[in-house]
Amino acid sequence: MNTPESKNYIPPINRISTRTTASLLLLVIVIVLIISAGFLWVTTTEQEKIVYQYQEKSAEETSLIISHYFSKLIDNLVIFSESSHLTEISPKEQREALIDLLNDEKRLFHECTLLTLDGQEAVKISRVHTYLPEELGNQSSDPIFSRALQGETSISPIFIFPQTGLISVNIATPVRDKKGEIAFVLIATGSVVPLWSEIEKIDIGQNGYAYIVDSSGRFLAYQEASEILDRHGELMTALPPVQRFISKDAASNREISPYTGLKGEEVVGSFAKIPGTDWAVIAELPTYEAFEYINRMILVIIAAMILGLIFSALLGLFLSRYLTEPVLSLTSIVTKIGQGKPAPHIKETSRADEIGILARGIEQMEKNLMESYLDLELRISELTLARERLRFSEEQYRALFEHSEDPLVLVEEDQSITLVNKKFEELWGFTREEIIGKKKWTEFVATLEDLDMMTSYYQKRNAGEDNVPNTYNFKLKTNSGEIRDMLLSITRMPGSNQILAALVDITEQKKYEQELIQKNKDLSDAYEKLATNEEELRESYDTLTIYEQKLRKSEQKYRNIVEDQTDLILRFTPQNKIIFGNDKFFSFFHADHKGILENEINLSDIRLFPSEILMQIFSLTPDSPVIYSENKVILPGGEEKWLNSSIRGIFSDAGTIIEYQAVARDITFQKKTEEALDNARSKLNLLNAITFEDIRNYIFTLSGYLELKKDMISDQNTLALIEKEQSIVKKVSQSLDFAKDYQDMGIRPPYWQNVLQVYLFAISHLDLTHIERIEEIKGVLIYADPLLEKVFYNLALNLVTHGKDIVTKLHLHSELRNGELIIIFEDNGPGIEDEKKEILFSRRDGLKKGLGLYFTSEVLAITGISIRETGTPGKGARFEIIVPRGKYKYE
C-alpha cells in the first residue's frame, strides 16, 4: 500500500496528477481572464455607443414632435392674422373673426386676445368664459407682447390655464396693416394636451422617460401629463444633462455617465434642443436597462470560468486515475515482492501503453522469483534429509529441536521440564536457565479448566491408554501475564516416558475465527433482510403492473377525448418538430397524419403560426408558461382562415423546456362577422360625427348671435325671452353632449387605466381651485371602458353643481373589502337625501336631469363595475365604485 508509513509514499502535492491538474486550472483561468477582459472592453464600448444613440434618438424624436406641434400653432395663428384683415374691420367683426378662429381650431386654441400697441386688451374671446368690458386688462408687461411689438412671433413657458386646469402656452404674433406696420398684437392660448398624448406614445426603452426644461433649468413638462401639476417650475440644474444644456455644451452630451435621475433612480441621460424655443428635452433611461447586455455578458463569463475550472478538475482527476494510481499500485506490488510477501493480482497487464509494459515485466519477474523460491525449497529439503541421515544422534535431535519454528518443550514423567528451544523461551518469557529443572509444565497453563483437562490427559497417557487425544487447544499465560491461545501437539518419545510437546500460537487465528463467525452471522442477517426486501419488491412489481394497466386505460380514454375535440391540438419539440396532432388538426390542413409524424415535418412548413409567435415561445418560463394569439392561416388550397390559439410550454422539474402544446380554434366566421359589424359601426359613427359636428357648430353660432342680440336690445321683456332661448340652447347642447358620449359608449374595447391619472384629467376641465383635494390612490389600475374619464368628470361636476360654495374638501381613496376594490369619492357638502338615492343612477324626467349619474353607471356596467351612494345627509356625499376581483391590479 502507498501509505504515509511506507518508504514509497508520495505526498499528494508532489504527485504528477496534482501538478497536471494545477497547471490546467491555471491555464484555463488565464485564458478565460484574457478573453473576458478583451470581450468586456469591446462590448462596453459598443454598448455605450448604442445607449448614447438610443438616448439621442429618443430626445430628438420628442423634440421634433414638440417643435412640429408649436410650429403648427404658430403657423395657424400667423395665417389667421394675415388673412383675416383685423386692421381693416370693426371691433364687432374682429370679435366674430376670433369666434370663427376658435371654431375652426377648437383642438388647438381655447382663448384669443387682440391687444392694442399699448398692451390694452381690445377683444378677448374664450371657450369657457364670456369676458365683460370691465374684465379686460393690460398685458404690456408680458415678455411675449414686447417681442411681438418688435415683429417676432414668440411662445410663453408652459403653464396651467386657470379656467380649465389644462396644460397651455400663450403665442403672440404681430398684426400688420396694409403698409406693413404693426397695428395690433394677437395672443392666443393654445392647449398642449394633444401634444402630450403624442409624447406619451414615445417608447424610451422599457422604463425610460422624457421631460422638458427651459433655458434656466426649470421643470416645464413631463412625458406623463399627470406629473406636471406636481413639479412645474422646479429647478433641475443639479442633473448633468440640464447643466450641459444650460452651459450650451453640445459636445459633452455624448458623455454616458450614470447619475440619480428625476425619479430618484440611477440613470443615463441626454438632451436635445427644441427648435423655435429656448427649451430642451431631457431623455433618461435607467442604468440597469441601459447596461443590461453588459451585465449579462459578465454572468456568461463567470459561468464560462466555472465550467472551465470544473472541466480542468475533472481532467486532472481522470489523469490521476489513469496514470498515477496504476503506477502507485505497481510500486506497492514491487515492494511486496521485494519483501518476500505474496503479491496480489496485477490488473494493468492488459494495457497497451508504457504502464502495461511495466506491469507485464513485473508479472514475469514475480513468476521467475517464484520458480527460484520453489527450487530453493526443494534443495533445502534434500539437504535437511541428508543431515537427518548423517546425524542420528542426540545432538542432531537437539539441533532440530533447537531450530524448530514452533515452540518445543520436553517434559519428564514427574511433569518437570527438562528441555526447551528458543521459540519456547520467547513464547513463555523465561530464560532457559529459569525453566529447565526448575519449572513444571502445569505452571504455564492459564485456566483451571485447561489444567484439569491436560492433567487428566497426562495421567491417562502415562497409564498406557490409547484413546487420549494428541492434539488440543489450551490457553497459555506468559511471564508478562498475557494470555495466548495455543494448539498443543503431544508426542511420546520412543524408549522412554518423556513427552515432546509442540506448541503453535493460534491467538491471531482465533481472533480471525471470531471475526469470521461474527461476519457469518452478519451475512445471515443481511440475507434474511434481502429475502424480505425481495418479497417487498415482488409485491411492488405486482402493484406497478396493475397501475400500468390502469394507466394504459386512462391514456386511451384521454386520447379518445383529445381526438374527439373540435379544436386543433398538437404538440411539438423546441426544434419545432411535430410529434402529435389530433384528427381535427390534420383534417384542417388536409394533411396525412402518418406522413407528417414519420417525416418529421417542421411546424413552420405548415405555417400554423407566424414567425414572430414562434420567436415568442422562447420567452416562456415556468412562471409564465402560456402565450395567446390570433393569426391568419393560408391553407394549402389558398383559403384564408383565422385561428385563436394558445401555446403552453411543458417544463421539467429543473425548469428546462421539454416540449410545447398548442390548442387552436377556427374563428373565421366570428372574424368575418366582426369585420362586417365594424364596417357598419364605422359608417354609422362617421354619419353621427358629421351630424353632431354640424349641430354643434350651429349651436355655437346661434349662441353668438343671441349674445350679440342682447347687446343690441334694451327691452327687458325681450331680454328675458333671449335668456330663455339661451337656456334652451344650452340644454340642447348638453343633450347633444350626452348623446355623443352615449354613442361612444362601448365602441372602443376596455383597457387597463390608471385611476389617479384619469381622475386628474377629468377634474382638469373644472374649476376646483377653492376646494382642498386629497388623492390617496396611487398605483391602482382598473379594467374599464375608455369613457372612464367621463365618470369622474360627472361625479366632480355633480359636486360643483349641487355643492357650490358649501363643499370645501374632496377626498379620493380606495380600500379592499371581501376581495373587491372600493374606490371612494366623497366630499363634505350637504349630501344626498335617502329618498333620492334609489333613483339617483336611473334615467328620469325625459333626459332633462340626472343624465350624468345615469351615464356614469352605464359606463361602469360595461366591464361589470357598479356604483352606489352611501353618504350621510348633512355630512357629505360618498360615492363608492365597486370593482370586482380580476378587474383591478396594482402597478
Side-chain angles (χ1 to χ4, degrees):
M1 294 294 293
N2 187 20
T3 62
E5 291 79 16
S6 64
K7 296 180 179 179
N8 296 320
Y9 173 75
I10 302 175
I13 195 171
N14 294 331
R15 294 180 183 176
I16 297 175
S17 61
T18 303
R19 296 179 180 180
T20 304
T21 303
S23 300
L24 287 172
L25 289 174
L26 181 61
L27 180 61
V28 169
I29 290 173
V30 171
I31 292 175
V32 171
L33 287 177
I34 293 175
I35 295 175
S36 302
F39 195 77
L40 276 178
W41 181 82
V42 173
T43 53
T44 301
T45 303
E46 293 300 319
Q47 183 69 6
E48 288 183 351
K49 293 180 180 178
I50 293 172
V51 169
Y52 166 72
Q53 292 172 356
Y54 188 83
Q55 290 288 86
E56 187 178 49
K57 178 182 176 182
S58 300
E60 290 177 354
E61 183 179 1
T62 307
S63 171
L64 289 175
I65 291 176
I66 295 172
S67 176
H68 175 74
Y69 185 83
F70 285 153
S71 297
K72 182 179 179 181
L73 292 177
I74 293 172
D75 292 341
N76 280 286
L77 192 63
V78 171
I79 291 172
F80 170 78
S81 68
E82 293 175 352
S83 62
S84 58
H85 308 291
L86 292 175
T87 60
E88 303 172 9
I89 59 180
S90 64
K92 180 179 179 180
E93 291 174 330
Q94 290 174 346
R95 182 183 183 87
E96 291 179 351
L98 294 182
I99 291 175
D100 292 336
L101 172 63
L102 293 182
N103 282 333
D104 295 336
E105 305 294 341
K106 59 185 177 180
R107 289 181 55 85
L108 300 180
F109 304 110
H110 43 253
E111 186 174 280
C112 292
T113 305
L114 189 66
L115 295 90
T116 61
L117 297 182
D118 59 353
Q120 182 62 39
E121 295 176 344
V123 181
K124 193 170 187 178
I125 302 299
S126 174
R127 286 182 173 277
V128 296
H129 182 73
T130 300
Y131 288 93
L132 299 176
E134 58 268 18
E135 292 180 309
L136 300 179
N138 191 288
Q139 299 188 30
S140 59
S141 60
D142 195 332
I144 64 172
F145 172 80
S146 301
R147 289 198 292 269
L149 288 180
Q150 297 175 5
E152 62 178 281
T153 301
S154 59
I155 302 176
S156 72
I158 294 175
F159 65 96
I160 307 300
F161 192 64
Q163 296 181 356
T164 62
L166 298 178
I167 309 169
S168 307
V169 293
N170 282 335
I171 303 173
T173 185
V175 178
R176 302 179 185 272
D177 56 18
K178 290 182 178 182
K179 297 179 180 181
E181 296 179 354
I182 298 174
F184 296 97
V185 171
L186 179 61
I187 297 180
T189 302
S191 174
V192 190
V193 173
L195 169 62
W196 248 252
S197 299
E198 296 298 323
I199 294 177
E200 286 181 352
K201 299 177 183 178
I202 298 175
D203 181 17
I204 307 178
Q206 296 292 330
N207 301 285
Y209 51 87
Y211 55 93
I212 300 174
V213 297
D214 59 14
S215 60
S216 62
R218 295 190 178 276
F219 184 91
L220 293 180
Y222 185 62
Q223 191 177 14
E224 296 181 4
S226 61
E227 294 287 335
I228 297 177
L229 299 177
D230 296 334
R231 310 192 72 156
H232 186 73
E234 182 178 340
L235 193 62
M236 312 298 292
T237 54
L239 301 181
V242 179
Q243 295 176 359
R244 294 196 292 269
F245 165 65
I246 295 174
S247 63
K248 298 181 175 54
D249 186 3
S252 65
N253 195 30
R254 293 182 175 269
E255 297 179 0
I256 303 298
S257 301
Y259 63 93
T260 302
L262 184 68
K263 292 186 177 181
E265 59 184 353
E266 188 175 70
V267 298
V268 291
S270 62
F271 71 87
K273 296 181 180 179
I274 301 176
T277 70
D278 57 350
W279 306 340
V281 174
I282 310 297
E284 293 182 345
L285 185 66
T287 54
Y288 65 81
E289 182 177 349
F291 302 109
E292 180 181 6
Y293 181 74
I294 296 176
N295 295 332
R296 289 182 180 176
M297 290 307 305
I298 292 175
L299 293 178
V300 170
I301 291 168
I302 293 174
M305 183 177 295
I306 293 174
L307 290 175
L309 294 177
I310 293 173
F311 172 77
S312 301
L314 292 176
L315 181 58
L317 180 61
F318 169 78
L319 292 175
S320 173
R321 291 186 174 181
Y322 189 76
L323 298 178
T324 308
E325 290 186 3
V327 172
L328 292 175
S329 177
L330 293 176
T331 304
S332 177
I333 292 173
V334 171
T335 302
K336 290 184 177 181
I337 294 174
Q339 294 173 351
K341 297 179 180 180
H345 176 68
I346 302 175
K347 301 178 182 179
E348 290 78 11
T349 54
S350 60
R351 293 178 57 158
D353 54 6
E354 293 82 353
I355 293 177
I357 296 174
L358 178 61
R360 290 190 290 273
I362 293 174
E363 185 180 48
Q364 185 62 39
M365 180 183 69
E366 181 187 10
K367 291 180 180 179
N368 294 338
L369 289 175
M370 186 58 69
E371 292 175 357
S372 299
Y373 177 74
L374 293 175
D375 183 60
L376 184 60
E377 277 190 337
L378 180 59
R379 292 186 180 185
I380 291 174
S381 300
E382 291 176 352
L383 289 174
T384 303
L385 181 58
R387 184 180 299 170
E388 288 179 353
R389 291 176 180 176
L390 291 174
R391 299 180 182 182
F392 191 70
S393 64
E394 183 179 358
E395 185 177 359
Q396 290 174 342
Y397 284 111
R398 185 180 297 275
L400 290 173
F401 179 85
E402 182 67 27
H403 293 89
S404 174
E405 292 295 325
D406 296 327
L408 300 177
V409 58
L410 188 62
V411 180
E412 297 295 335
E413 189 175 359
D414 60 356
Q415 299 183 354
S416 63
I417 298 175
T418 58
L419 187 62
V420 295
N421 65 354
K422 187 176 181 181
K423 290 291 185 182
F424 188 80
E425 287 184 84
E426 296 175 355
L427 175 64
W428 201 6
F430 293 99
T431 63
R432 188 171 304 182
E433 290 75 14
E434 294 174 334
I435 298 174
I436 296 176
K438 297 179 182 179
K439 291 187 179 293
K440 295 183 178 183
W441 67 266
T442 56
E443 297 182 31
F444 59 66
V445 180
T447 64
L448 292 177
E449 292 83 3
D450 289 344
L451 181 58
D452 291 343
M453 176 193 68
M454 295 172 67
T455 302
S456 174
Y457 290 162
Y458 185 77
Q459 291 173 354
K460 291 179 180 180
R461 194 176 292 110
N462 287 338
E465 297 183 13
D466 296 331
N467 57 349
V468 181
N470 293 326
T471 305
Y472 47 86
N473 297 335
F474 79 100
K475 293 186 181 296
L476 179 141
K477 183 177 181 181
T478 65
N479 185 24
S480 61
E482 181 182 2
I483 306 300
R484 310 285 295 180
D485 287 311
M486 307 300 296
L487 175 63
L488 181 65
S489 178
I490 300 298
T491 303
R492 183 175 290 277
M493 300 299 293
S496 67
N497 290 327
Q498 293 178 327
I499 294 175
L500 178 64
L503 289 78
V504 178
D505 190 349
I506 60 171
T507 304
E508 297 296 328
Q509 180 181 346
K510 281 285 187 179
K511 185 186 297 183
Y512 294 149
E513 287 178 358
Q514 292 297 326
E515 293 178 358
L516 185 60
I517 292 171
Q518 183 61 39
K519 289 182 179 179
N520 187 40
K521 184 176 180 302
D522 295 340
L523 184 61
S524 297
D525 294 341
Y527 178 77
E528 292 178 359
K529 292 181 180 179
L530 183 61
T532 303
N533 293 338
E534 182 182 6
E535 184 64 26
E536 293 177 355
L537 287 174
R538 186 176 289 106
E539 293 177 358
S540 299
Y541 177 76
D542 295 339
T543 303
L544 287 175
T545 302
I546 296 172
Y547 179 75
E548 181 184 8
Q549 294 175 355
K550 293 181 179 179
L551 189 63
R552 289 182 182 276
K553 293 180 180 179
S554 176
E555 180 190 8
Q556 184 61 38
K557 178 178 71 175
Y558 287 109
R559 180 179 293 275
N560 293 338
I561 293 174
V562 171
E563 292 295 346
D564 294 340
Q565 290 292 315
T566 58
D567 294 341
L568 283 65
I569 302 176
L570 74 153
R571 299 172 74 180
F572 54 95
T573 66
Q575 293 75 34
N576 292 339
K577 299 296 183 182
I578 301 174
I579 58 177
F580 172 79
N582 65 347
D583 291 341
K584 183 65 177 178
F585 167 75
F586 291 106
S587 62
F588 183 83
F589 286 99
H590 308 292
D592 178 33
H593 184 288
K594 184 177 180 182
I596 286 183
L597 296 182
E598 289 184 353
N599 296 328
E600 298 184 350
I601 299 300
N602 195 291
L603 189 63
S604 59
D605 296 337
I606 62 173
R607 299 179 181 178
L608 176 59
F609 301 111
S611 58
E612 58 268 18
I613 298 297
L614 295 178
M615 292 300 295
Q616 290 180 16
I617 66 175
F618 294 109
S619 63
L620 294 179
T621 63
D623 296 332
S624 179
V626 184
I627 58 173
Y628 301 93
S629 66
E630 282 189 5
N631 57 282
K632 185 187 293 183
V633 179
I634 307 298
L635 296 183
E639 183 181 2
E640 291 185 355
K641 292 283 188 179
W642 278 91
L643 293 178
N644 185 336
S645 58
S646 65
I647 304 177
R648 176 180 294 276
I650 302 175
F651 297 85
S652 65
D653 294 339
T656 305
I657 188 68
I658 300 175
E659 60 185 49
Y660 300 96
Q661 176 172 295
V663 178
R665 176 169 296 176
D666 187 355
I667 58 170
T668 305
F669 179 76
Q670 175 185 342
K671 275 292 184 180
K672 291 181 179 179
T673 303
E674 290 177 354
E675 289 177 2
L677 182 60
D678 288 342
N679 290 336
R681 184 183 292 128
S682 298
K683 293 177 181 179
L684 182 59
N685 287 343
L686 178 60
L687 177 61
N688 289 341
I690 295 172
T691 303
F692 284 149
E693 193 65 28
D694 290 344
I695 295 175
R696 188 182 298 278
N697 291 337
Y698 296 151
I699 290 174
F700 188 82
T701 304
L702 179 58
S703 298
Y705 284 131
L706 288 175
E707 188 67 29
L708 294 174
K709 188 176 180 181
K710 285 176 63 178
D711 295 339
M712 295 184 295
I713 296 175
S714 59
D715 182 58
Q716 294 300 321
N717 293 328
T718 306
L719 289 175
L721 291 174
I722 293 175
E723 289 179 355
K724 290 182 179 179
E725 290 174 351
Q726 287 180 326
S727 177
I728 293 172
V729 169
K730 184 177 181 180
K731 290 181 179 180
V732 171
S733 179
Q734 291 175 349
S735 299
L736 186 65
D737 290 339
F738 177 79
K740 181 66 171 66
D741 291 338
Y742 205 84
Q743 172 198 337
D744 294 338
M745 186 189 303
I747 295 299
R748 290 176 293 168
Y751 64 96
W752 289 101
Q753 303 180 57
N754 186 299
V755 175
L756 179 59
Q757 183 176 350
V758 174
Y759 169 75
L760 292 176
F761 274 120
I763 65 174
S764 66
H765 304 294
L766 300 171
D767 184 12
L768 301 178
T769 55
H770 62 287
I771 297 177
E772 178 188 359
R773 300 198 336 258
I774 301 175
E775 292 99 12
E776 298 177 328
I777 194 170
K778 289 186 177 180
V780 177
L781 289 86
I782 65 174
Y783 189 72
D785 190 84
L787 293 176
L788 178 63
E789 182 179 339
K790 286 287 185 179
V791 171
F792 289 111
Y793 174 79
N794 286 332
L795 293 177
L797 180 62
N798 185 69
L799 178 149
V800 173
T801 302
H802 300 289
K804 297 183 179 178
D805 297 331
I806 301 175
V807 176
T808 61
K809 183 178 180 181
L810 176 60
H811 189 193
L812 180 70
H813 57 103
S814 66
E815 63 182 46
L816 289 175
R817 192 184 302 160
N818 298 326
E820 295 178 329
L821 175 68
I822 311 299
I823 300 175
I824 302 169
F825 181 97
E826 58 182 344
D827 58 50
N828 63 345
I832 300 173
E833 299 174 1
D834 292 335
E835 57 272 13
K836 294 183 179 180
K837 291 184 179 182
E838 295 182 359
I839 60 172
L840 193 61
F841 300 100
S842 61
R843 181 178 178 181
R844 54 196 190 280
D845 294 341
L847 288 178
K848 294 180 181 179
K849 60 181 179 179
L851 293 179
L853 294 180
Y854 167 69
F855 175 78
T856 293
S857 64
E858 291 294 306
V859 170
L860 295 175
I862 292 175
T863 54
I865 303 173
S866 59
I867 184 171
R868 64 191 177 197
E869 205 287 327
T870 61
T872 303
K875 294 184 178 181
R878 177 185 172 97
F879 291 94
E880 292 187 352
I881 299 174
I882 299 94
V883 185
R885 190 191 305 271
K887 298 298 178 66
Y888 66 88
K889 64 181 180 180
Y890 296 92
E891 288 184 325

